Amino acid sequence: MTRTDPRPAAARKADVLAGLTVPVTDAWVATAAAAEPYLVPLTLAWLREHIVLATDGRSRTATNLTDSGVARVALGTTRDVVMIDAVLTETIPVAEAPSWVADGYAASTDWDPRKTGGSYVYLILRPDRIQAWREENEIADRTLMRNGTWLV
Amino acid sequence: MTRTDPRPAAARKADVLAGLTVPVTDAWVATAAAAEPYLVPLTLAWLREHIVLATDGRSRTATNLTDSGVARVALGTTRDVVMIDAVLTETIPVAEAPSWVADGYAASTDWDPRKTGGSYVYLILRPDRIQAWREENEIADRTLMRNGTWLV
């Protein structure tokens, strides 16, 4: 196996931001109700330092987030991980979304939820903790944001 | 965008089994405690129709699973998804694992938890529901196993 040196924190932050902004960014979004985990892939946009998701307001992701307020969101691959613990700040029905959300989402992704249906919502999430790691040697310094503040 | 026809259920099942048995299979493992989701990538082995994970017994994945008994496990990519709702059947400390678990896990993956440390455990999970989909046109018939029984 080829081993590479651990990336400096600044390089990891740059990789995280690249991952969040490259078109199109898909993420694994984990939510929960009581002790029951839920997990689905969703397409995200990174707008105004927030993760913006779009899904049916009746979906388990939306109802779990509305009830619990927290999600754990993974980007990348299992061996090049970006892991984001995030907090729901707002849920906006697609028809009521401001331009920076609705046009921003459509411009960053490959679909426009406004064309999908009336029950769709944008979920606006504020990152609270961001971690990034590839191999074992990057585990120790994997935390790049804590309590919503970049450490680098 | 190139659209492909939806795969027949039998082809999806074959793809699922291929995904579970190809060396090395990494999965996104979601668990939860008190509406707080947890998510990490872990390497799995598919042994005797069960998912076998290995992790530190003190990790949140292990403690969540011990407490709640359920996980939601994703293989593949966000646009070629295998999603498995699974139930914990047994937790076995690495030093006490039978050969089919310990040797089977080492043979299927790229590491051997027996060499890692005394607090590691194997988590044996029985699939309860398996879904597989790629594009929108595969969502409708995505369920391949229900209540532990293959539908195909």
Side-chain angles (χ1 to χ4, degrees):
Chain A
M1 183 185 295
T2 305
R3 285 276 168 190
T4 54
D5 289 336
R7 293 167 293 169
R12 294 196 214 188
K13 180 179 178 180
D15 288 344
V16 168
L17 292 172
L20 283 165
T21 51
V22 67
V24 176
T25 302
D26 286 343
W28 297 99
V29 179
T31 57
E36 188 169 357
Y38 193 62
L39 177 66
V40 281
L42 292 173
T43 300
L44 69 75
W46 176 248
L47 303 171
R48 297 189 181 181
E49 309 278 299
H50 285 69
I51 291 168
V52 179
L53 303 173
T55 189
D56 195 318
R58 301 165 300 190
S59 67
R60 286 176 63 186
T61 295
T63 56
N64 284 353
L65 262 170
T66 302
D67 290 347
S68 78
V70 291
R72 189 161 157 102
V73 178
L75 312 182
T77 68
T78 55
R79 306 213 175 189
D80 185 8
V81 179
V82 174
M83 191 67 75
I84 304 174
D85 290 285
V87 176
L88 182 71
T89 59
E90 203 172 359
T91 303
I92 310 175
V94 287
E96 300 168 21
S99 168
W100 73 268
V101 172
D103 294 332
Y105 188 91
S108 303
T109 68
D110 57 355
W111 70 299
D112 188 338
R114 288 173 293 190
K115 298 176 181 164
T116 300
S119 60
Y120 269 61
V121 296
Y122 297 103
L123 301 162
I124 318 293
L125 297 141
R126 178 180 56 71
D128 182 66
R129 184 171 61 172
I130 298 180
Q131 301 175 311
W133 73 93
R134 287 179 179 161
E135 299 283 340
E136 185 71 24
N137 64 358
E138 288 198 347
I139 292 284
D141 297 316
R142 67 187 181 278
T143 302
L144 302 175
M145 174 188 283
R146 188 177 291 133
N147 300 323
T149 302
W150 288 103
L151 306 181
V152 284
Chain B
M1 184 185 295
T2 305
R3 286 274 169 191
T4 54
D5 289 336
R7 292 167 293 168
R12 294 197 214 187
K13 179 179 178 180
D15 288 344
V16 167
L17 292 173
L20 284 165
T21 51
V22 66
V24 175
T25 302
D26 285 343
W28 297 98
V29 179
T31 56
E36 184 168 359
Y38 193 62
L39 177 66
V40 281
L42 292 174
T43 300
L44 70 74
W46 177 249
L47 304 171
R48 296 188 181 181
E49 309 277 300
H50 285 68
I51 291 169
V52 179
L53 304 173
T55 189
D56 194 318
R58 301 164 301 191
S59 67
R60 286 176 64 186
T61 296
T63 56
N64 284 353
L65 262 171
T66 302
D67 290 347
S68 77
V70 291
R72 189 160 157 102
V73 177
L75 312 182
T77 69
T78 54
R79 305 212 174 190
D80 185 7
V81 179
V82 175
M83 191 66 76
I84 304 173
D85 290 286
V87 177
L88 182 71
T89 59
E90 202 173 359
T91 302
I92 311 174
V94 287
E96 300 168 20
S99 169
W100 74 268
V101 172
D103 293 331
Y105 188 91
S108 303
T109 69
D110 56 355
W111 71 299
D112 188 337
R114 289 173 292 189
K115 297 176 181 164
T116 299
S119 60
Y120 269 61
V121 295
Y122 297 104
L123 300 161
I124 318 294
L125 297 140
R126 179 180 55 72
D128 182 65
R129 183 172 61 173
I130 297 180
Q131 301 175 313
W133 72 92
R134 287 180 180 159
E135 300 283 341
E136 186 71 24
N137 65 357
E138 288 197 348
I139 292 284
D141 297 316
R142 66 187 181 280
T143 302
L144 302 175
M145 174 188 283
R146 189 178 289 135
N147 299 325
T149 301
W150 288 103
L151 306 180
V152 285

Coordinates of all heavy atoms in Angstrom, one line a residue, chain B residues 11-65:
Chain B
A11 N -30.8 -8.7 -11.4 CA -29.6 -8.1 -11.7 C -29.1 -7.2 -10.5 O -27.9 -7.1 -10.2 CB -29.6 -7.2 -13.0
R12 N -30.1 -6.5 -9.9 CA -29.7 -5.7 -8.8 C -29.2 -6.6 -7.6 O -28.3 -6.2 -6.9 CB -31.0 -4.9 -8.3 CG -31.4 -3.9 -9.3 CD -32.3 -2.9 -8.7 NE -33.3 -2.4 -9.6 CZ -34.2 -1.4 -9.4 NH1 -34.2 -0.8 -8.2 NH2 -35.1 -1.1 -10.3
K13 N -29.9 -7.7 -7.4 CA -29.5 -8.6 -6.3 C -28.0 -9.1 -6.6 O -27.2 -9.1 -5.7 CB -30.4 -9.8 -6.2 CG -29.9 -10.8 -5.1 CD -30.9 -12.0 -5.0 CE -30.4 -13.0 -3.9 NZ -31.3 -14.1 -3.8
A14 N -27.7 -9.4 -7.8 CA -26.4 -9.8 -8.2 C -25.4 -8.7 -7.9 O -24.3 -8.9 -7.4 CB -26.3 -10.3 -9.6
D15 N -25.8 -7.5 -8.3 CA -24.9 -6.3 -8.0 C -24.7 -6.1 -6.5 O -23.6 -5.8 -6.1 CB -25.5 -5.1 -8.7 CG -25.4 -5.1 -10.2 OD1 -24.6 -5.9 -10.7 OD2 -26.1 -4.3 -10.8
V16 N -25.7 -6.3 -5.7 CA -25.6 -6.2 -4.3 C -24.6 -7.2 -3.7 O -23.7 -6.8 -2.9 CB -27.0 -6.3 -3.6 CG1 -26.8 -6.5 -2.1 CG2 -27.9 -5.1 -3.9
L17 N -24.8 -8.4 -4.1 CA -23.9 -9.5 -3.6 C -22.5 -9.3 -4.1 O -21.5 -9.5 -3.3 CB -24.4 -10.8 -4.0 CG -25.7 -11.2 -3.3 CD1 -26.3 -12.5 -3.9 CD2 -25.6 -11.4 -1.8
A18 N -22.3 -8.8 -5.3 CA -21.0 -8.5 -5.8 C -20.4 -7.3 -4.9 O -19.2 -7.4 -4.5 CB -21.0 -8.1 -7.2
G19 N -21.2 -6.3 -4.6 CA -20.7 -5.2 -3.8 C -20.3 -5.6 -2.4 O -19.4 -5.1 -1.8
L20 N -21.0 -6.6 -1.9 CA -20.7 -7.1 -0.5 C -19.5 -8.0 -0.4 O -18.9 -8.1 0.6 CB -22.0 -7.9 0.0 CG -23.2 -7.0 0.5 CD1 -24.4 -7.9 0.6 CD2 -22.8 -6.3 1.8
T21 N -19.2 -8.6 -1.5 CA -18.1 -9.6 -1.5 C -16.8 -9.2 -2.2 O -15.8 -9.8 -2.0 CB -18.6 -10.9 -2.1 OG1 -19.1 -10.7 -3.4 CG2 -19.6 -11.6 -1.2
V22 N -16.8 -8.1 -3.0 CA -15.6 -7.7 -3.6 C -14.6 -7.2 -2.5 O -15.0 -6.6 -1.5 CB -15.9 -6.5 -4.6 CG1 -16.4 -5.3 -3.8 CG2 -14.7 -6.2 -5.4
P23 N -13.4 -7.6 -2.6 CA -12.4 -7.1 -1.7 C -11.9 -5.7 -2.1 O -11.5 -5.6 -3.3 CB -11.2 -8.1 -1.7 CG -11.4 -8.8 -3.0 CD -12.8 -8.6 -3.5
V24 N -11.9 -4.7 -1.4 CA -12.3 -4.6 0.0 C -13.6 -3.8 0.0 O -13.7 -2.8 -0.7 CB -11.2 -3.9 0.8 CG1 -11.7 -3.6 2.3 CG2 -9.9 -4.7 0.8
T25 N -14.6 -4.2 0.8 CA -15.9 -3.4 0.8 C -15.9 -2.5 2.0 O -15.9 -2.9 3.2 CB -17.1 -4.4 1.0 OG1 -17.0 -5.3 -0.1 CG2 -18.4 -3.6 1.0
D26 N -15.9 -1.2 1.7 CA -16.1 -0.2 2.7 C -17.6 0.3 2.7 O -18.2 0.3 1.7 CB -15.3 1.1 2.5 CG -13.8 0.8 2.8 OD1 -13.5 -0.1 3.5 OD2 -13.0 1.6 2.4
A27 N -18.1 0.6 3.9 CA -19.5 1.0 4.0 C -19.6 2.2 4.9 O -18.8 2.5 5.7 CB -20.3 -0.1 4.6
W28 N -20.7 3.0 4.6 CA -21.1 4.1 5.5 C -22.0 3.5 6.5 O -23.1 3.1 6.2 CB -21.7 5.2 4.7 CG -20.8 5.9 3.8 CD1 -20.7 5.6 2.4 CD2 -19.8 6.9 4.0 NE1 -19.7 6.4 1.8 CE2 -19.1 7.2 2.8 CE3 -19.3 7.5 5.2 CZ2 -18.1 8.1 2.7 CZ3 -18.3 8.4 5.1 CH2 -17.7 8.7 3.8
V29 N -21.7 3.6 7.8 CA -22.5 2.9 8.8 C -23.1 4.0 9.7 O -22.4 4.7 10.4 CB -21.6 2.0 9.7 CG1 -22.5 1.3 10.8 CG2 -21.0 0.9 8.8
A30 N -24.5 4.1 9.6 CA -25.2 5.1 10.4 C -25.8 4.4 11.6 O -26.5 3.3 11.5 CB -26.3 5.8 9.6
T31 N -25.6 5.0 12.8 CA -26.3 4.5 14.0 C -26.8 5.7 14.7 O -26.6 6.9 14.3 CB -25.3 3.8 14.9 OG1 -24.2 4.6 15.2 CG2 -24.8 2.5 14.3
A32 N -27.5 5.5 15.8 CA -28.1 6.7 16.5 C -28.3 6.4 18.0 O -28.4 5.3 18.4 CB -29.4 7.1 15.9
A33 N -28.2 7.5 18.8 CA -28.6 7.5 20.2 C -29.4 8.8 20.5 O -28.8 9.9 20.2 CB -27.3 7.4 21.1
A34 N -30.6 8.6 21.0 CA -31.4 9.8 21.4 C -31.5 10.9 20.3 O -31.2 12.1 20.5 CB -30.8 10.4 22.7
A35 N -31.8 10.4 19.1 CA -32.1 11.3 18.0 C -30.8 12.0 17.5 O -30.8 12.9 16.6 CB -33.1 12.4 18.3
E36 N -29.6 11.6 18.0 CA -28.4 12.1 17.5 C -27.7 11.1 16.6 O -27.4 10.0 17.0 CB -27.4 12.4 18.6 CG -26.1 13.0 18.1 CD -25.3 13.6 19.2 OE1 -25.7 13.6 20.4 OE2 -24.2 14.2 18.9
P37 N -27.6 11.4 15.3 CA -27.1 10.5 14.3 C -25.6 10.4 14.4 O -24.9 11.3 14.7 CB -27.5 11.1 13.0 CG -27.5 12.6 13.2 CD -28.0 12.7 14.6
Y38 N -25.1 9.2 14.1 CA -23.6 9.0 14.0 C -23.4 8.3 12.7 O -24.2 7.5 12.2 CB -23.1 8.2 15.2 CG -21.6 8.2 15.3 CD1 -20.9 9.4 15.5 CD2 -20.8 7.1 15.2 CE1 -19.6 9.5 15.6 CE2 -19.5 7.1 15.2 CZ -18.8 8.3 15.5 OH -17.5 8.4 15.5
L39 N -22.2 8.6 12.1 CA -21.9 8.0 10.8 C -20.4 7.9 10.6 O -19.7 8.9 10.9 CB -22.5 9.0 9.7 CG -22.2 8.7 8.3 CD1 -23.0 7.4 7.8 CD2 -22.7 9.9 7.4
V40 N -20.0 6.8 10.3 CA -18.5 6.6 10.0 C -18.4 5.6 8.9 O -19.2 4.7 8.7 CB -17.7 6.1 11.2 CG1 -17.4 7.2 12.2 CG2 -18.4 4.9 11.9
P41 N -17.3 5.6 8.1 CA -17.0 4.6 7.2 C -16.3 3.4 7.9 O -15.4 3.7 8.7 CB -16.0 5.3 6.2 CG -15.4 6.4 7.0 CD -16.3 6.8 8.0
L42 N -16.7 2.2 7.6 CA -16.1 1.0 8.2 C -15.9 0.0 7.1 O -16.7 -0.1 6.2 CB -16.9 0.5 9.4 CG -17.0 1.3 10.6 CD1 -18.0 0.7 11.6 CD2 -15.6 1.4 11.3
T43 N -14.9 -0.9 7.3 CA -14.7 -2.0 6.3 C -15.6 -3.2 6.8 O -15.5 -3.6 7.9 CB -13.2 -2.3 6.3 OG1 -12.5 -1.2 5.8 CG2 -13.0 -3.5 5.3
L44 N -16.3 -3.7 5.9 CA -17.2 -4.9 6.3 C -16.7 -6.1 5.5 O -16.1 -6.1 4.5 CB -18.6 -4.6 6.0 CG -19.2 -4.5 4.6 CD1 -19.3 -5.8 3.9 CD2 -20.6 -3.8 4.7
A45 N -17.1 -7.2 6.2 CA -17.0 -8.6 5.5 C -18.4 -9.1 5.4 O -19.3 -8.9 6.3 CB -16.1 -9.5 6.3
W46 N -18.7 -9.9 4.4 CA -20.0 -10.5 4.2 C -19.8 -12.0 4.4 O -19.2 -12.7 3.6 CB -20.5 -10.2 2.8 CG -21.8 -10.9 2.4 CD1 -22.0 -11.9 1.5 CD2 -23.2 -10.6 2.9 NE1 -23.3 -12.2 1.4 CE2 -24.1 -11.4 2.2 CE3 -23.6 -9.7 3.9 CZ2 -25.4 -11.4 2.5 CZ3 -25.0 -9.6 4.1 CH2 -25.9 -10.5 3.4
L47 N -20.2 -12.5 5.6 CA -19.9 -13.9 6.0 C -21.2 -14.5 6.5 O -21.9 -14.0 7.4 CB -18.9 -13.9 7.2 CG -17.6 -13.1 6.9 CD1 -16.8 -13.0 8.2 CD2 -16.8 -13.8 5.8
R48 N -21.5 -15.7 5.9 CA -22.7 -16.4 6.3 C -23.9 -15.6 6.3 O -24.7 -15.6 7.2 CB -22.5 -17.1 7.7 CG -21.3 -18.1 7.7 CD -21.3 -18.9 9.0 NE -20.2 -19.8 9.0 CZ -19.9 -20.6 10.0 NH1 -20.6 -20.6 11.1 NH2 -18.9 -21.5 10.0
E49 N -24.1 -14.8 5.2 CA -25.3 -13.9 5.0 C -25.4 -12.8 6.0 O -26.5 -12.3 6.2 CB -26.5 -14.8 5.0 CG -26.5 -16.0 4.1 CD -26.9 -15.6 2.7 OE1 -28.0 -15.1 2.5 OE2 -26.0 -15.8 1.8
H50 N -24.3 -12.5 6.7 CA -24.3 -11.5 7.7 C -23.2 -10.4 7.4 O -22.2 -10.8 6.8 CB -24.0 -12.0 9.1 CG -25.2 -12.7 9.7 ND1 -25.7 -13.9 9.3 CD2 -26.1 -12.3 10.8 CE1 -26.7 -14.2 10.0 NE2 -27.0 -13.3 10.9
I51 N -23.5 -9.2 7.7 CA -22.5 -8.1 7.7 C -21.7 -8.2 9.0 O -22.2 -8.2 10.1 CB -23.2 -6.7 7.6 CG1 -23.9 -6.6 6.3 CG2 -22.2 -5.6 7.9 CD1 -24.8 -5.3 6.2
V52 N -20.4 -8.3 8.8 CA -19.5 -8.3 9.9 C -18.6 -7.0 9.9 O -17.9 -6.8 8.9 CB -18.5 -9.5 9.9 CG1 -17.6 -9.5 11.1 CG2 -19.4 -10.8 9.9
L53 N -18.7 -6.2 11.0 CA -17.9 -5.0 11.1 C -16.9 -5.3 12.2 O -17.2 -6.1 13.1 CB -18.8 -3.8 11.5 CG -20.0 -3.5 10.5 CD1 -20.8 -2.4 11.2 CD2 -19.4 -3.1 9.2
A54 N -15.9 -4.5 12.2 CA -14.9 -4.5 13.4 C -14.6 -3.1 13.8 O -14.2 -2.3 12.9 CB -13.7 -5.3 12.9
T55 N -14.7 -2.9 15.0 CA -14.4 -1.5 15.5 C -14.1 -1.6 17.0 O -14.3 -2.6 17.7 CB -15.5 -0.5 15.2 OG1 -15.1 0.8 15.5 CG2 -16.8 -0.8 16.0
D56 N -13.6 -0.5 17.6 CA -13.4 -0.4 19.0 C -14.7 -0.6 19.7 O -15.7 0.1 19.4 CB -12.7 0.9 19.3 CG -12.1 0.9 20.7 OD1 -12.8 0.4 21.7 OD2 -11.0 1.4 20.9
G57 N -14.8 -1.5 20.7 CA -16.0 -1.7 21.5 C -16.4 -0.4 22.2 O -17.6 -0.3 22.6
R58 N -15.5 0.6 22.4 CA -15.9 1.8 23.1 C -16.3 2.9 22.1 O -16.6 4.0 22.5 CB -14.6 2.3 23.9 CG -14.2 1.3 24.9 CD -12.8 1.6 25.4 NE -11.8 1.6 24.3 CZ -10.5 1.7 24.5 NH1 -9.9 1.7 25.7 NH2 -9.6 1.7 23.5
S59 N -16.3 2.6 20.8 CA -16.6 3.6 19.8 C -18.1 3.9 19.9 O -18.9 3.1 20.4 CB -16.3 3.1 18.4 OG -17.1 2.0 18.1
R60 N -18.5 5.0 19.3 CA -20.0 5.3 19.3 C -20.7 4.4 18.5 O -21.9 4.0 18.8 CB -20.2 6.8 18.8 CG -19.7 7.8 19.9 CD -19.9 9.2 19.4 NE -21.2 9.6 19.1 CZ -21.5 10.8 18.5 NH1 -20.6 11.6 18.2 NH2 -22.8 11.1 18.3
T61 N -20.2 3.9 17.4 CA -20.9 2.9 16.6 C -21.2 1.7 17.4 O -22.3 1.2 17.4 CB -20.0 2.5 15.3 OG1 -19.9 3.7 14.5 CG2 -20.7 1.4 14.6
A62 N -20.2 1.2 18.1 CA -20.4 0.0 18.9 C -21.4 0.2 20.1 O -22.3 -0.6 20.3 CB -19.1 -0.5 19.5
T63 N -21.3 1.3 20.8 CA -22.2 1.6 21.9 C -23.6 1.9 21.4 O -24.6 1.4 22.0 CB -21.7 2.7 22.8 OG1 -21.5 3.9 22.0 CG2 -20.4 2.3 23.5
N64 N -23.7 2.6 20.3 CA -25.0 2.8 19.7 C -25.7 1.5 19.3 O -26.9 1.3 19.6 CB -25.0 3.8 18.5 CG -24.8 5.2 18.9 OD1 -24.8 5.6 20.0 ND2 -24.5 6.0 17.9
L65 N -24.9 0.7 18.7 CA -25.5 -0.6 18.2 C -25.9 -1.5 19.4 O -26.9 -2.1 19.3 CB -24.5 -1.3 17.3 CG -24.7 -1.1 15.8 CD1 -23.5 -1.7 15.0 CD2 -26.0 -1.8 15.4

